[in-house]
Amino acid sequence: MPCHHRRRAGQTRVPDDRPAGYARGDGDRGLMDADVIVIGAGPAGLTAATTAARDAGARVVLVDENERIGGRLPGQLYRHKDTWVIGARTAERLAEEAAEAGVEILSGHQVWSCEPGWRVRLESSRTLTAPKVVVATGAAERPLPMPGWTLPGTLAIGAVQQLVQVQRILPGRRVAVVGTDPLAMTAAEEITLAGGEVVGIFMPSGEPGQHAESSPRKVLHSLSGFASAAPAAWQRLGARMLRNRAIAAAAARLMPPSGIPIGEAKLKVRHRAEAILGAGKVEALRIRKVSAQGVPVGDSREIPVDAVCLSGGLYPLQELTTGNCSLVEVPEVGGLVPLHSPELRTTAPGLYVAGNVTGIEGAAVAERQGALAGTALAADLGAYRDPGARLREAAAQVELARAEAVLTFLPGIFSGRRRLSELWEAHAAPGSQSEGKASDDA
């Protein structure tokens, strides 16, 4: 059910900068009047909503399709050196901050469309209107198709995290993980902490339709983004050394077939998963050794398991930005993303973005991006005497969170962010012809 919160006493009403023809509710049950609508209640959306409501006194409505807000946070649990990062606690903190700021939360509502104006249509035939919208819809999992992947007992990694961390249910007693991104690593550790056995974290086969990395050298290189999540100091040092491509290539050649420890599980970069087997349910995983270059060698063998977790990585969700603003393809940040300014304004007036919809990164970066988008909103609503200083500070916090990130999902994220900045500068340059550099769907 939606949660409603009153504006706190002493807050200032935002300037009425609504566009001509802006529709008020006027008792219409299908229309809600707001100053800002935020779509997505993950760390980015929650923080954007809180910042705009707190700093500008804006009436903010936050919409999310899930009954439990927090996005992927409730399913997250991973190490940071000698401590644990518990996503559920972060979600609780952010939800409390949003409630204290007076944000109105509509949970359990799917957004069907977002149209300039801005009109946000829900599945209940309800329409919300506001002059400003933040899209913070996050990311979706890429499928990892392979023979047998439709058998009962095969689960996507996000579903596994929800089962283990939210529902307290093990996906199986003897589990294989296929995929080598940070989600796969953290899910493997969550399963072992809950009492399950992870027989290994295996490489994808690299067959057509799989977007996950299947090269041992590249997988080891990407482990540098997982360095601070390693439990032991020597593991953290070793992971950081893998940032050097030559060291990663040498490690791939010397890697023992038994794999390397990731918590209680082992990452088997010299084995690839070829098929999931079973009669009506998962019963085994067929694996095969590969060379340091990822070439199959020898015969395949079967490992008895009762569940297989597939992790093909993430991609930014653009259903609600497509047709509303310019989009650009930047593989280093995860694919197609909105062209946006350093303050997270898009090419469409009144439309802002934050979080993984702008590129795949961790929750801490998404939270700081939400604060930056909320600050940009508040600045555009006239909330600050020195908006430039507030925006610079918020942007600096994003960069700090990125530099200190516990998990780095994409090794090229920094170069990808620089590329996005260059594209925005080209777009914003006087007399620029940016149509050739961006897919303008606005």
Side-chain angles (χ1 to χ4, degrees):
M1 295 294 292
C3 300
H4 298 278
H5 306 278
R6 296 182 181 275
R7 184 185 311 279
R8 293 179 299 166
Q11 288 188 329
T12 303
R13 181 67 180 175
V14 297
D16 193 349
D17 62 350
R18 299 179 175 89
Y22 178 77
R24 299 187 63 87
D26 295 329
D28 185 347
R29 294 176 60 189
L31 204 60
M32 178 178 285
D33 186 4
D35 300 306
V36 178
I37 299 169
V38 179
I39 306 172
L46 282 164
T47 311
T50 297
T51 304
R54 181 192 63 218
D55 291 7
R59 182 183 178 193
V60 181
V61 176
L62 175 62
V63 188
D64 194 89
E65 65 181 351
N66 296 306
E67 291 290 348
R68 181 173 181 173
I69 64 174
R72 293 178 178 271
L73 281 172
Q76 294 181 0
L77 175 69
Y78 52 88
R79 297 177 192 264
H80 177 34
K81 298 181 180 178
D82 297 325
T83 61
W84 289 90
V85 177
I86 304 174
R89 292 181 182 174
T90 303
E92 291 172 1
R93 170 179 61 82
L94 295 178
E96 290 173 0
E97 291 173 358
E100 290 173 0
V103 175
E104 298 180 44
I105 300 174
L106 297 181
S107 60
H109 288 274
Q110 288 187 345
V111 173
W112 279 9
S113 68
C114 179
E115 304 162 4
W118 291 95
R119 300 173 67 84
V120 175
R121 301 183 187 277
L122 309 183
E123 92 291 343
S124 59
S125 299
R126 194 175 188 178
T127 298
L128 313 179
T129 62
K132 300 185 183 301
V133 169
V134 181
V135 175
T137 47
E141 293 183 47
R142 294 187 187 276
L144 191 64
M146 61 185 301
W149 73 318
T150 60
L151 281 172
T154 305
L155 301 95
I157 213 75
V160 171
Q161 291 184 310
Q162 289 294 314
L163 276 176
V164 175
Q165 293 302 321
V166 179
Q167 305 298 331
R168 299 293 191 264
I169 299 172
L170 276 171
R173 286 293 175 185
R174 186 173 167 84
V175 184
V177 176
V178 181
T180 54
D181 59 276
L183 285 180
M185 312 292 181
T186 56
E189 188 151 36
E190 290 170 6
I191 292 168
T192 58
L193 287 171
E197 178 189 359
V198 175
V199 300
I201 305 168
F202 298 94
M203 302 270 290
S205 64
E207 297 297 327
Q210 294 186 356
H211 298 277
E213 187 54 64
S214 58
S215 163
R217 176 185 61 80
K218 292 181 179 179
V219 166
L220 289 173
H221 175 65
S222 68
L223 282 182
S224 60
F226 200 64
S228 63
W234 69 269
Q235 291 174 316
R236 294 192 289 270
L237 175 61
R240 285 192 290 269
M241 291 176 65
L242 292 172
R243 292 171 184 167
N244 184 296
R245 295 183 185 276
I247 293 177
R253 291 191 298 270
L254 299 173
M255 187 61 57
S258 59
I260 55 177
I262 302 291
E264 297 298 321
K266 284 194 174 182
L267 172 62
K268 297 179 178 288
V269 295
R270 296 296 296 273
H271 287 85
R272 75 178 197 176
E274 295 193 326
I276 303 168
L277 309 174
K281 62 179 181 179
V282 171
E283 295 176 342
L285 180 71
R286 181 189 296 150
I287 65 170
R288 191 176 180 183
K289 287 184 180 180
V290 297
S291 68
Q293 292 73 38
V295 178
V297 295
D299 296 328
S300 60
R301 63 186 180 94
E302 299 176 9
I303 301 177
V305 295
D306 58 4
V308 175
C309 307
L310 302 178
S311 185
L314 302 171
Y315 68 93
L317 277 173
Q318 303 303 341
E319 281 83 351
L320 298 180
T321 57
T322 299
N324 284 322
C325 64
S326 296
L327 305 176
V328 290
E329 182 73 33
V330 183
E332 294 86 352
V333 302
L336 194 66
V337 295
L339 182 61
H340 58 272
S341 74
E343 301 81 24
L344 302 176
R345 302 180 179 102
T346 71
T347 56
L351 183 64
Y352 307 73
V353 287
N356 278 356
V357 72
T358 74
I360 305 304
E361 299 189 76
V365 176
E367 181 180 342
R368 292 298 91 207
Q369 279 192 319
L372 175 57
T375 301
L377 274 164
D380 293 345
L381 292 170
Y384 307 125
R385 292 184 179 179
D386 189 352
R390 297 293 292 267
L391 286 166
R392 287 190 294 273
E393 173 59 24
Q397 290 299 313
V398 174
E399 293 305 317
L400 180 62
R402 185 169 290 138
E404 296 179 346
V406 178
L407 302 178
T408 301
F409 288 80
L410 300 171
I413 191 68
F414 289 96
S415 61
R417 290 297 179 188
R418 288 192 296 270
R419 176 61 177 154
L420 278 169
S421 296
E422 292 168 358
L423 288 171
W424 179 263
E425 290 172 4
H427 164 80
S432 67
Q433 298 294 324
S434 60
E435 288 80 7
K437 300 178 181 178
S439 172
D440 192 348
D441 297 306

